[in-house]
Amino acid sequence: MSAPARPRAGASAAEGVPVSGDGGLQSQARRLALKGGAALVVAFRIGGAAASQPAAAAPWQPNAWLAIRPDGAVHVSIVFTEMGQGTETGVAMIVADELDADWSRVTVSTVVPDGKRFMITGGSYSISTAWEPARKAGAQARAMLIQAGAAAMGVAPEACRTEAHAVVHTDSGRRLPYGELVAAAAGLAVPEKPPLKDGKAQRMVGQPLPAKNLAAIVRGEARYGIDMRVPDMLFAVIERSPVVNGRLARFDAAKARAVPGVVAVLPVRGNTFPDAQLYVRDGVAVVATSTWAAMQGRKALEVTWNEQGSDRRPRGGRLASSTALSGQMAQALADGTPDNPRDGLRGWVTTLREGDARQKDEALAGAAHKLELAYELPLLAHAPMEPVNALAHWTAERCEVWTGCHFQSKLHAQLRLLTGLPADRVVVHTPLIGGSFGRRLEPDYAIEAALLSRDVQRPVQLLWTREDDLRMGFFSPPSRHRVRVALGPDGRIAALEHSVAALSVRLQIERDSIGAAGLDRTVTIDAEKFPYGAAQLHVRHRLVEQTIRVLWWRRGYTPNHTLVNETLLDECAHAVGEDPLAYRQRLLAPARELRWDNDGDVERIHTGRLAAVQRAACSAAGWGTPLPPGSGRGLASTCTDTYVAQVVEVVPSGTGLRVARVITAVDCGLVVNPQLVRAQVEGSIVFALNAALKPAVTVEDGRVQQSNFHDHPLLRIDEMPVIETLLLDSAERPTGIGEPASHCTAAAVANAVFAATGRRLRSLPFALG
């Protein structure tokens, strides 16, 4: 995060493109030739968990820019991707507030990857990692403008201030607009430690400003990946193998080629899952002058697949089946089940052991109150509303891709490997994304588009229809859990043994990250981060392998563990006869910070902040007050840097249930934009309720049984509960909100159902039949 001492502006570049080469990326400021005039450009680096530079990389390199043009227009270029979560607006607000910029004159975009900057958006880290560097960049530019303005007016910089896009001499009221000062400011040294505003001086941060792209979205002017167009482009869809690792045996393209508009019908030769760094299925591509023509041509194809040996024994030993997978995970958790790597069952790996095994066993054997609980989390689809797509143009000299991918570094690296082109000839554009929830972290669709462009020697936009993505894409990582709990005489948790069996995302897409011991920390970290205290806490996992593709889904395994942690807390409270809120509050006291090492990253939970959101949500919900007969109220909470507690009210009816009300309390530190935070909370609740109440994805004989929203339905508007969101005041740094509110909803629903019916629900989707 540190930069060379007292850097100066001075290098130039083409419009919007930073200078590379010796010193090009290491200078904090740039003077760019922009539309006929010099611009003041301050470069900064957004670091941290989501945008950290690899340890072996070169010295400090910026990955974001603040540019003020001679006409006064301000543009912020950031390393993060906008996919509906409001990141572009939030980061621009942070910069603009420190700059005292006119918000109407501020624009923002995602930078183009160059193979040097590490680019990934995920984990709800964007705002938290941007907070300090974005403020500093705005303050640096403000200080430079003040210095230039003071010199122009012949006064001391201390006699000037900024407001409303201008430098103002405080005594005389004389004003100079930013645009008039850009040329002079661009030649000044960038201050290393500019003064930052205190909270009282902030004018934008904390305000419910509409998203920067909202008007364009409402008017239909926003350009998503699916809207991208270039000259001479074609459109394509692919008929893919219905099973993972199936092979194309033969196909007859005569009828497809006869469809008006069809230009080419091509075989797609895939690779082997999960051995390939990025898996592509065998298939047949239909390329046409329109997507409709390509889809009609695909319908006319006659294809024969070879499914023999499509699943190999070391990867599960059978065609993929969610029923068989459930049985495998249950068997993995059973006492005495031997390791069987050839049939996809790995050995036990212990990741956390507080205390020792003997004391844990003694506590479990001798406790007055003992619980043994089993949970199962199924396959869930990401189902983003914008279908997956990519436009690619691959020539001998250049490969250019336009696609909604939010792991640009991975895509850029894969395209370099695929094409053999140097980094500066591989260009990845990131348009607005219509949802992802983790799906677009894997850029398999962009690789397919590039291959088709190479083969037809024209730009090609590939579309995955919703059926394609639901059947051939990725799913949430399923898991089963066996938890044994012993409660002491005081009701506190004397021992907790948490065993997890799961499909591993890392084993599929980051295989080298699994060490020799076989530990996948992503599977267990949220079991380890148990803030309620346990004298004996033992966490272990067994990884199960099967050819069902899984990928991060609203932070991977966190929703799974939150269901387990927060429902077992309710069961413990019930076992000792305490109110669920009072029990949690007792276990979280005294307020303290807990820390865990997560493969080098420090994970923290402050129990006082967690307790506070629980109290706030329950107070707003009227915790303890009567509900209509047959209704129930449940509490659950979670922490992933951001603290969230939810109270859910349910009304069971026959074999189903209606969620009537969801009250959410959020502590995300200083709130940058309350309107966008509330929008993310509401969207997260819809997403989580859909997972809790609607049918899961099932796979049999290697084939996904669902295809679209008719048999994989989403929550409808008449099923929506009343949603109320409380944002707690905080002076802490901002933290993320894109995912956390989705994690505890299912647990709160399960606890509410128990309050209403006395029945425990421990598996998704919930059903009372």
Side-chain angles (χ1 to χ4, degrees):
M1 296 287 292
S2 61
R6 297 193 62 79
R8 298 184 62 87
S12 63
E15 180 173 343
V17 182
V19 175
S20 60
D22 184 21
L25 286 174
Q26 297 180 36
S27 176
Q28 277 188 303
R30 288 286 174 262
R31 183 188 301 138
L32 304 184
L34 293 174
K35 299 182 178 179
L40 170 61
V41 178
V42 174
F44 57 105
R45 175 165 184 78
I46 299 174
S52 58
Q53 189 174 326
W60 185 87
Q61 293 180 342
N63 56 20
W65 283 266
L66 160 61
I68 309 174
R69 298 188 175 94
D71 61 359
V74 175
H75 186 77
V76 182
S77 300
I78 62 174
V79 73
F80 297 123
T81 303
E82 179 60 51
M83 45 189 156
Q85 80 280 38
T87 292
E88 285 190 348
T89 300
V91 177
M93 285 177 65
I94 296 167
V95 174
D97 201 332
E98 286 291 338
L99 182 60
D100 277 327
D102 178 347
W103 182 239
S104 67
R105 305 182 74 180
V106 177
T107 56
V108 60
S109 65
T110 300
V111 302
V112 175
D114 60 359
K116 299 176 182 177
R117 294 184 289 269
F118 186 68
M119 293 183 64
I120 184 171
T121 305
S124 296
Y125 289 120
S126 300
I127 295 297
S128 63
T129 55
W131 172 245
E132 292 181 3
R135 289 184 72 196
K136 182 178 178 180
Q140 286 173 323
R142 172 164 50 86
M144 295 164 75
L145 289 165
I146 287 176
Q147 187 176 348
M153 291 186 279
V155 298
E158 295 77 14
C160 298
R161 70 180 191 275
T162 56
E163 65 177 27
H165 226 75
V167 174
V168 180
H169 180 228
T170 301
D171 290 343
S172 67
R174 185 181 175 189
R175 307 171 64 89
L176 289 177
Y178 284 168
E180 294 182 14
L181 302 172
V182 162
L188 299 174
V190 181
E192 277 296 305
K193 296 181 179 180
L196 300 176
K197 290 183 177 182
D198 61 26
K200 295 179 181 178
Q202 290 171 335
R203 296 289 181 266
M204 291 186 197
V205 168
Q207 298 303 309
L209 301 179
K212 266 295 177 185
N213 56 12
L214 180 60
I217 292 173
V218 170
R219 293 194 296 260
E221 298 170 357
R223 299 189 72 197
Y224 295 83
I226 204 168
D227 299 317
M228 296 295 106
R229 297 292 184 269
V230 297
D232 201 33
M233 67 182 285
L234 296 171
F235 302 82
V237 293
I238 299 176
E239 181 73 5
R240 296 174 183 84
S241 166
V243 300
V244 171
N245 292 334
R247 294 297 179 225
L248 176 63
R250 57 186 177 275
F251 68 98
D252 186 340
K255 294 179 181 177
R257 290 193 178 97
V259 173
V262 170
V263 173
V265 180
L266 306 167
V268 176
R269 292 297 180 184
N271 46 28
T272 303
F273 173 84
D275 296 336
Q277 281 188 306
L278 193 145
Y279 173 64
V280 172
R281 293 193 190 216
D282 267 25
V284 180
V286 180
V287 186
T289 55
S290 69
T291 299
W292 177 253
M295 293 170 66
Q296 295 305 110
R298 181 168 72 170
K299 288 181 181 179
L301 283 173
E302 296 179 6
V303 186
T304 302
W305 304 102
N306 178 12
E307 299 179 21
Q308 298 299 317
S310 59
D311 286 89
R312 296 164 300 139
R313 290 195 60 80
R315 305 294 180 241
R318 60 186 66 81
L319 283 174
S321 163
S322 52
T323 301
L325 176 62
S326 177
Q328 284 176 281
M329 291 193 298
Q331 184 183 28
L333 294 177
D335 292 331
T337 302
D339 303 346
N340 189 359
R342 284 192 57 79
D343 204 28
L345 177 58
R346 294 190 165 215
W348 284 112
V349 179
T350 297
T351 177
L352 179 69
R353 180 177 292 149
E354 293 186 4
D356 62 61
R358 181 183 61 81
Q359 291 176 332
K360 178 257 297 181
D361 292 339
E362 288 176 355
L364 289 169
H369 295 289
K370 292 182 289 187
L371 302 171
E372 182 154 349
L373 312 173
Y375 298 84
E376 183 169 12
L377 287 301
L379 298 165
L380 300 168
H382 298 84
M385 290 306 295
E386 180 196 7
V388 174
N389 61 86
L391 169 60
H393 190 195
W394 179 0
T395 68
E397 300 297 324
R398 180 181 174 91
C399 182
E400 195 162 8
V401 174
W402 297 258
T403 188
C405 168
H406 53 107
F407 194 172
Q408 292 94 331
S409 288
K410 182 169 187 174
L411 174 56
H412 197 271
Q414 289 290 337
L415 289 170
R416 297 198 309 270
L417 182 66
L418 180 69
T419 63
L421 293 169
D424 61 350
R425 295 190 182 183
V426 174
V427 182
V428 175
H429 303 279
T430 309
L432 180 63
I433 298 178
S436 174
F437 318 115
R439 167 60 181 102
R440 287 178 162 96
L441 285 167
E442 277 295 285
D444 48 347
Y445 47 94
I447 298 300
E448 289 178 332
L451 290 169
L452 294 179
S453 175
R454 178 199 63 186
D455 290 346
V456 300
Q457 299 182 22
R458 286 173 65 179
V460 175
Q461 184 182 72
L462 174 68
L463 174 72
W464 284 51
T465 65
R466 200 167 305 284
E467 291 86 353
D468 292 339
D469 199 36
L470 189 54
R471 289 174 169 167
M472 315 292 181
F474 296 86
F475 308 100
S476 66
S479 60
R480 284 184 72 109
H481 305 250
R482 188 182 75 175
V483 181
R484 298 197 296 164
V485 185
L487 301 177
D490 59 355
R492 294 182 179 272
I493 299 173
L496 192 160
E497 179 188 80
H498 189 158
S499 303
V500 188
L503 281 184
S504 167
V505 176
R506 279 188 168 179
L507 268 181
Q508 293 190 4
I509 66 171
E510 304 169 7
R511 207 168 186 86
D512 292 343
S513 70
I514 304 293
L519 171 62
D520 181 352
R521 203 63 174 278
T522 65
V523 173
T524 59
I525 185 61
D526 289 293
E528 299 174 50
K529 288 170 54 183
F530 187 74
Y532 297 99
Q536 298 284 328
L537 178 58
H538 296 246
V539 180
R540 59 181 184 165
H541 74 52
R542 294 186 87 170
L543 302 182
V544 178
E545 296 189 75
Q546 198 179 104
T547 48
I548 296 175
R549 300 170 75 203
V550 292
L551 189 58
W552 312 118
W553 186 92
R554 300 305 278 256
R555 203 181 169 101
Y557 302 87
T558 304
N560 304 20
H561 283 293
T562 303
L563 176 67
V564 175
N565 291 343
E566 289 294 312
T567 56
L568 79 82
L569 256 293
D570 256 45
E571 299 214 30
C572 291
H574 180 71
V576 299
E578 286 193 47
D579 172 81
L581 171 62
Y583 185 70
R584 284 175 170 80
Q585 295 284 296
R586 180 161 73 92
L587 297 188
L588 291 173
R592 61 204 185 276
E593 184 179 80
L594 307 174
R595 299 187 179 195
W596 295 266
D597 175 63
N598 182 12
D599 293 340
D601 291 329
V602 178
E603 303 259 357
R604 295 177 173 87
I605 294 179
H606 194 283
T607 64
R609 295 177 71 181
L610 184 58
V613 291
Q614 293 174 358
R615 292 193 301 270
C618 288
S619 176
W623 188 264
T625 61
L627 283 171
S631 300
R633 192 182 276 133
L635 166 67
S637 57
T638 188
C639 173
T640 52
D641 287 339
T642 292
Y643 299 82
V644 178
Q646 287 179 350
V647 175
V648 171
E649 295 176 4
V650 302
V651 183
S653 175
T655 59
L657 60 93
R658 179 173 66 87
V659 177
R661 186 181 179 210
V662 181
I663 303 91
T664 306
V666 177
D667 176 359
C668 58
L670 181 66
V671 177
V672 174
N673 188 317
Q675 178 169 287
L676 296 182
V677 171
R678 288 190 170 91
Q680 286 304 298
V681 170
E682 292 170 4
S684 293
I685 290 168
V686 174
F687 197 88
L689 287 176
N690 202 78
L693 304 178
K694 297 299 181 179
V697 170
T698 56
V699 181
E700 297 301 336
D701 294 325
R703 291 164 168 79
V704 176
Q705 302 299 290
Q706 293 73 32
S707 62
N708 207 320
F709 292 147
H710 69 285
D711 54 6
H712 185 68
L714 300 183
L715 203 70
R716 294 180 178 273
I717 195 167
D718 62 339
E719 300 172 293
M720 274 295 296
V722 174
I723 296 178
E724 303 166 36
T725 304
L726 295 83
L727 306 181
L728 274 61
D729 291 332
S730 175
E732 299 290 337
R733 66 174 180 83
T735 52
I737 196 61
E739 298 165 329
S742 66
H743 298 155
C744 52
T745 307
V749 170
N751 291 336
V753 169
F754 175 77
T757 67
R759 178 175 176 180
R760 291 292 181 187
L761 302 178
R762 303 190 187 103
S763 299
L764 295 185
F766 295 146
L768 299 181

